[in-house]
């Protein structure tokens, strides 16, 4: 990198990508499909779990959309979804015309609270006379959901689970990789995820038959005739052979990247974990093995940060989020649900020192776009959002960078 800024999270090329891309060019495989796509899918199957089938797609969002279609979710159906997540977990529910029912988190994993989910499903059945059609479980920041309890609830009601493991590539729970717990699982290889294809995703399917069906939907739902014949609406969601080449190069170093993230977490934990008023988000117990895609921390409201009285004095003009692109302009400096002043002051002061941090994801039930839909809340997700911050993680963040982050945070804490 040209300057000494420490960014929140950047993907890194391994050096192996060009080989696969060149092969694609030389073989005239600069099209969707081709040997890199099937090669990448095989790499992923081996990495995830013996026997699963992976379909490489153009994005994680596309994977979630296809997952819902595969589960037969349609117009007017209800889908239970974790409220503490990124909007891409919920948007596909709307693409198929279904109703998202948002459910709050438990404080240990930050993921969907299985007891609240159970109560919420009972309430939906009573209110609508019908069972929700699917449960979208998220492994936020790479932390696995509490699958023992979650799958018990899903089984009790006989409702299929669609796992949003977009952030959890390489995480595992009781030794089993995230992405393989649901009936279907979604992975993302966007430019900011654990590994990248420059933009892409995958649907993890239970068997060959469902994988073939997903591929059919992802390639415009074409039937086997000499001419184009369609009986269903299809999509153009397949991954290109060039993107898959990048993915194959990334798979060669995936385990190293995951180890690096876990080391980053341990390092922050060692140096910040004991600081009064700062709580690192850790694996709740040995069943959980997060990839720590992002290292995150909670800041106690009582912890005073220098300059916190001036936080929120000016509007944000840039874009937030790894995908960049065009953002709309907010109408005001404040919304009625935002990070505490000390968290915002910390973010601003670190940004001035060239260190990028970010608030946690704002819960979906507090997003105006989903305000009209049912939500079952317990205050956990909002409380996390008020207090939380994402720290620089990822393959570019060295121990020396982490030292700078830690020292800067320590300097910014007001001594009592
Ligand atoms: C990134 C992300 C997605 C979407 O993946 P894309 O590949 O960017 O479409 C979905 N869910 C979560 C939780 C994510 O972080």
């Amino acid at each position: 990198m040209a300057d000494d800024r420490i960014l929140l999270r950047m993907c890194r090329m391994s050096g192996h990508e060009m080989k696969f891309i060149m092969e694609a060019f030389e073989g005239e495989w600069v099209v969707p499909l081709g040997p890199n796509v099937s090669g990448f899918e095989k790499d992923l199957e081996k990495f995830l779990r013996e026997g699963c089938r992976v379909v490489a797609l153009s994005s994680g969002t596309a994977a979630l959309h296809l997952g819902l279609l595969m589960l037969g979710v349609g117009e007017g159906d209800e889908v239970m979804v974790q409220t503490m997540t990124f909007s891409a977990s919920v948007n596909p529910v709307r693409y198929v015309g279904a109703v998202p029912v948002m459910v709050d988190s438990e404080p240990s994993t930050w993921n969907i609270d299985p007891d609240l989910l159970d109560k919420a499903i009972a309430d939906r059945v009573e209110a609508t006379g019908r069972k929700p059609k699917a449960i979208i479980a998220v492994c936020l920041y790479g932390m696995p959901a509490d699958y023992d309890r979650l799958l018990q609830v899903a089984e009790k009601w006989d409702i299929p689970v669609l796992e949003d493991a977009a952030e959890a590539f390489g995480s595992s729970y009781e030794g089993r990789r995230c992405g393989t717990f649901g009936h279907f699982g979604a992975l993302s290889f966007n430019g900011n995820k654990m590994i990248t294809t420059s933009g892409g995703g995958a649907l993890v399917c239970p068997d060959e038959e469902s994988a073939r069906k997903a591929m059919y939907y992802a390639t415009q739902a074409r039937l086997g005739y000499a001419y184009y014949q369609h009986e269903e609406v299809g999509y153009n969601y397949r991954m290109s052979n060039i993107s898959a080449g990048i993915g194959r190069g990334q798979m060669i170093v995936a385990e190293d990247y995951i180890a690096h993230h876990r080391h980053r977490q341990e390092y922050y934990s060692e140096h910040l974990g004991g600081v009064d008023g700062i709580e690192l988000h850790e694996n709740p117990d040995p069943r959980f093995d997060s990839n720590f895609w992002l290292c995150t921390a909670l800041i106690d409201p009582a912890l005073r940060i220098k300059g916190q009285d001036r936080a929120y004095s000016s509007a944000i003009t840039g874009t937030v989020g790894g995908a960049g692109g065009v953002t709309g302009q907010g109408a005001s400096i404040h919304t009625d649900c935002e990070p505490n002043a000390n968290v915002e002051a910390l973010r601003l002061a670190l940004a001035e020192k060239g260190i990028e941090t970010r608030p946690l994801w704002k819960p979906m039930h507090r997003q105006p776009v989903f305000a009209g839909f049912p939500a079952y809340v317990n205050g956990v997700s909002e409380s996390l959002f008020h207090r939380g911050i994402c720290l620089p993680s990822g393959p570019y963040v060295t121990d020396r960078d982490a030292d700078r982050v830690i020292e800067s945070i320590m300097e910014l804490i007001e001594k009592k």
Side-chain angles (χ1 to χ4, degrees):
M1 229 167 258
D3 55 40
D4 64 347
R5 281 182 312 154
I6 303 173
L7 297 176
L8 185 73
R9 193 178 183 302
M10 294 263 299
C11 278
R12 183 172 198 154
M13 290 297 105
S14 70
H16 300 287
E17 290 82 4
M18 274 318 284
K19 177 172 90 74
F20 294 107
I21 293 173
M22 287 316 293
E23 277 173 20
F25 274 96
E26 281 154 15
E28 304 286 338
W29 282 110
V30 189
V31 287
L33 303 193
N36 281 336
V37 176
S38 48
F40 184 44
E41 288 172 343
K42 289 214 169 61
D43 289 348
L44 290 167
E45 286 162 4
K46 208 169 130 215
F47 177 90
L48 288 171
R49 187 163 207 246
E50 212 53 53
C52 75
R53 283 287 168 269
V54 171
V55 178
L57 299 169
S58 54
S59 72
T61 310
L64 288 163
H65 185 185
L66 281 191
L68 290 171
L69 291 171
M70 293 296 297
L71 293 172
V73 179
E75 198 73 38
D77 289 330
E78 292 198 339
V79 174
M80 311 305 286
V81 57
Q82 181 164 321
T83 188
M84 183 74 194
T85 188
F86 181 59
S87 63
S89 308
V90 188
N91 282 331
V93 176
R94 298 297 299 137
Y95 300 167
V96 300
V99 173
V101 178
M102 290 156 283
V103 180
D104 220 313
S105 290
E106 52 175 5
S108 57
T109 63
W110 299 8
N111 292 316
I112 202 162
D113 178 336
D115 297 331
L116 186 58
L117 174 66
D118 186 33
K119 286 198 197 96
I121 294 171
D123 195 62
R124 293 326 294 166
V125 171
E126 187 158 316
T128 68
R130 293 198 307 153
K131 263 191 329 193
K133 217 42 187 289
I135 298 166
I136 296 179
V138 186
C139 303
L140 202 68
Y141 306 120
M143 182 64 70
D146 185 341
Y147 279 113
D148 279 338
R149 289 165 60 223
L150 179 57
L151 295 180
Q152 257 173 30
V153 173
E155 265 161 39
K156 169 182 158 187
W157 291 98
D158 193 21
I159 300 173
V161 172
L162 172 57
E163 189 186 2
D164 181 350
E167 301 177 359
F169 183 78
S171 299
S172 52
Y173 175 82
E174 290 182 341
R176 179 167 167 178
R177 298 274 200 199
C178 289
T180 67
F181 283 93
H183 289 69
F184 292 93
L187 300 174
S188 168
F189 310 114
N190 196 7
N192 56 350
K193 295 291 159 70
M194 182 58 84
I195 61 165
T196 190
T197 57
S198 79
L203 187 68
V204 185
C205 301
D207 51 34
E208 189 64 32
E209 192 190 337
S210 55
R212 292 192 67 81
K213 186 89 196 220
M215 287 181 197
Y216 153 84
Y217 280 126
T219 49
Q220 309 286 22
R222 288 181 280 208
L223 294 175
Y225 293 89
Y227 43 88
Y228 288 134
Q229 174 78 11
H230 308 274
E231 287 176 9
E232 285 178 285
V233 173
Y235 302 84
N236 182 7
Y237 277 173
R238 211 63 166 109
M239 180 178 280
S240 93
N241 195 51
I242 297 292
S243 300
I246 302 175
R248 289 180 84 182
Q250 292 270 292
M251 283 305 285
I252 292 175
V253 293
E255 297 284 7
D256 299 339
Y257 285 180
I258 295 158
H260 183 90
H261 280 74
R262 288 184 173 137
H263 168 71
R264 190 74 300 120
Q265 164 73 16
E266 269 175 32
Y267 199 86
Y268 281 132
S269 188
E270 203 175 293
H271 293 89
L272 283 174
V275 177
D276 232 13
I278 299 182
E279 188 191 327
L280 268 279
H281 186 30
E282 311 267 13
N283 285 316
D285 64 58
R287 289 175 302 163
F288 297 83
D289 194 8
S290 175
N291 63 5
F292 292 105
W293 169 65
L294 285 182
C295 300
T296 51
L298 298 178
I299 309 295
D300 191 302
L303 189 77
R304 288 207 47 94
I305 298 294
K306 289 176 187 163
Q308 81 177 59
D309 299 331
R310 291 188 310 279
Y312 291 115
S313 58
S314 60
I316 303 294
T317 51
T319 94
V320 177
V326 177
T327 53
Q329 186 59 47
S332 60
I333 292 176
H334 291 278
T335 68
D336 62 358
C337 176
E338 63 189 17
N340 292 333
N342 61 353
V343 173
E344 177 62 1
L346 187 60
R347 186 188 71 77
L348 287 169
L350 289 171
E352 266 181 27
K353 293 169 184 283
I355 299 169
E356 185 189 21
T357 61
R358 189 175 298 159
L360 299 188
W361 301 180
K362 180 167 176 168
M364 291 302 122
H365 72 279
R366 296 307 309 264
Q367 300 286 1
V369 60
F370 301 124
F373 297 108
Y376 293 81
V377 296
N378 57 18
V380 170
S381 61
E382 280 189 57
S383 166
L384 292 171
F385 175 61
H386 291 150
R387 293 178 291 147
I389 193 162
C390 303
L391 301 173
S393 315
Y396 279 110
V397 183
T398 63
D399 283 0
R400 270 190 55 209
D401 291 337
D403 285 339
R404 223 175 97 200
V405 174
I406 293 157
E407 282 159 23
S408 301
I409 292 175
M410 297 309 291
E411 276 168 26
L412 287 165
I413 295 173
E414 259 182 22
K415 305 283 170 302
K416 287 198 194 99

